[in-house]
Amino acid sequence: MDWILTLSLMLGGLAVLLLMGLPVAFAFITVTMIGAFEVLGGDRGLLQLARNSTQSVANFQMAPIPLFILMGEILFQTGIAHRAIDAIERVVTRVPGRLSVVTVFGGTIFAALSGSTIANTAMLGSTLMPGMLQRGYHPTMAMGPIMASGAIAMLIPPSALAVLVGSLAGISISGLLIAGVIPALMLAGAFVVYIIGRSILDPSVAPPDDLPEMTLAERWRPFMIYVAPLSVLFAVVIGSLLMGFATPTESAALGCLAALVIGAAYRALSLSKIAKALMETVKLSVMILFIMAASQTFAQVLSFSGATNGLIAAINAVDPTPTMVLVGMILILLFLGCFVDQVSMLMVTVPVFVPLAAQLGINELVLGVVYLLTMEIGLLTPPFGLLLFVMRGVAPEGIGMKHIYAAVTPFLVIKLAVLALIVWQPAIGTWLPGLMAH
């Protein structure tokens, strides 16, 4: 039973370092170094870590991550996203909970252009929340849709985390990017239905606002100028993947080029904005690549110690069905999501979950979508969901964490319902990638 001790020490050590406040990248590398030294044979283990780190970071499959991040940063830094939100607000009229519905539409559109949950949530919060509160919206009705639709960027392409999941788990990256589209649209649709339903039942949470009279041209002209052209960017990234004439790396590069062209067309580009977009991209990419540098060795330590096979054998001894195992994985990920970040969840679970899923015949794309949606839920799960703190940072004085927890709860229930639907009907995640295969 040595593998139990090894597994406990690796995961326990990681938890202790994270609780001490050490950045996740350094905590992960520290634990992996100790494990490599003890399990893989002292100095030889550290040399293996160095070799694995070089191979992991130099992996061409990782190239879409910084490119997708850069694409979103260009749109964010140039202010194009803010103009698009204003244009959407003009178009959406005579709907209960109008501004909350605008938030969901705008958040979904920007999620399909950025792939960054933090940027999406911060942008929506700073742009829409002050106006919503000023017009009498209840804080929970203002904040809930912002956090819920901001997190969709985890699932809908171009998601940098989808690339990371695909690379770590050996899942088709292009297939996984496409597989997230339908679940993301289902989530957005369910959010809108909930908002309208709650606003009809209790109009006080989202008072109707008096819109100035506008002609049809005044209402739709900003939409055609600032929103419609962005569909070109989505078509470039997703269309090139669906049609099969671009790899994920090539589609990400095309997306960056299209973002630059759109920014130039709006005369919103400047050297300082490009420099800031590049700097933010480097910060996020370096953190992810640092963790990736240790990922292969971490998996090898668990494998050589017998932890991976031991855990799989223990689970198989119960003779579970694939659905039971998938539900068990979800419960573990949901628990981890309450306390640790999404990349740490991946690093800890992929070495065990992927071999187990392969042995039981669980579809890899279904596993990938379950990972993405569960990690999206983790972003919003109290007490330490990352987007809860992003929301607290942009919320006005007087709004505490208890208000934020109350705001996000109904949307967490919706996300859990969609997750259960995917487990029940796996075709939701596999149908669109299946079309790409043909």
Side-chain angles (χ1 to χ4, degrees), residues 32-106:
T32 304
M33 285 178 64
I34 295 171
F37 187 85
E38 293 296 328
V39 176
L40 300 182
D43 292 344
R44 286 179 298 173
L46 296 179
L47 286 172
Q48 184 64 32
L49 171 61
R51 282 193 292 267
N52 289 343
S53 299
T54 304
Q55 292 173 1
S56 299
V57 174
N59 185 356
F60 191 65
Q61 282 190 317
M62 301 300 293
I65 292 178
L67 290 171
F68 279 144
I69 295 172
L70 177 60
M71 186 176 77
E73 285 294 332
I74 291 170
L75 296 173
F76 186 68
Q77 299 298 338
T78 54
I80 294 171
H82 293 83
R83 299 182 196 179
I85 294 291
D86 293 339
I88 293 168
E89 187 180 345
R90 284 172 172 256
V91 171
V92 179
T93 58
R94 296 189 181 91
V95 178
R98 187 181 74 89
L99 289 179
S100 294
V101 173
V102 168
T103 300
V104 174
F105 286 163

Side-chain angles (χ1 to χ4, degrees), residues 164-200:
L164 187 59
V165 170
S167 180
L168 285 173
I171 300 171
S172 164
I173 293 174
S174 56
L176 187 54
L177 286 168
I178 298 300
V181 172
I182 291 179
L185 295 179
M186 288 174 62
L187 285 173
F191 296 158
V192 170
V193 170
Y194 166 75
I195 290 166
I196 293 175
R198 187 181 173 195
S199 301
I200 291 173

Side-chain angles (χ1 to χ4, degrees), residues 138-149:
H138 193 278
T140 57
M141 189 56 108
M143 294 185 294
I146 289 172
M147 291 184 285
S149 54

Side-chain angles (χ1 to χ4, degrees), residues 146-164:
I146 289 172
M147 291 184 285
S149 54
I152 287 181
M154 176 84 70
L155 192 61
I156 198 168
S159 166
L161 207 71
V163 178
L164 187 59

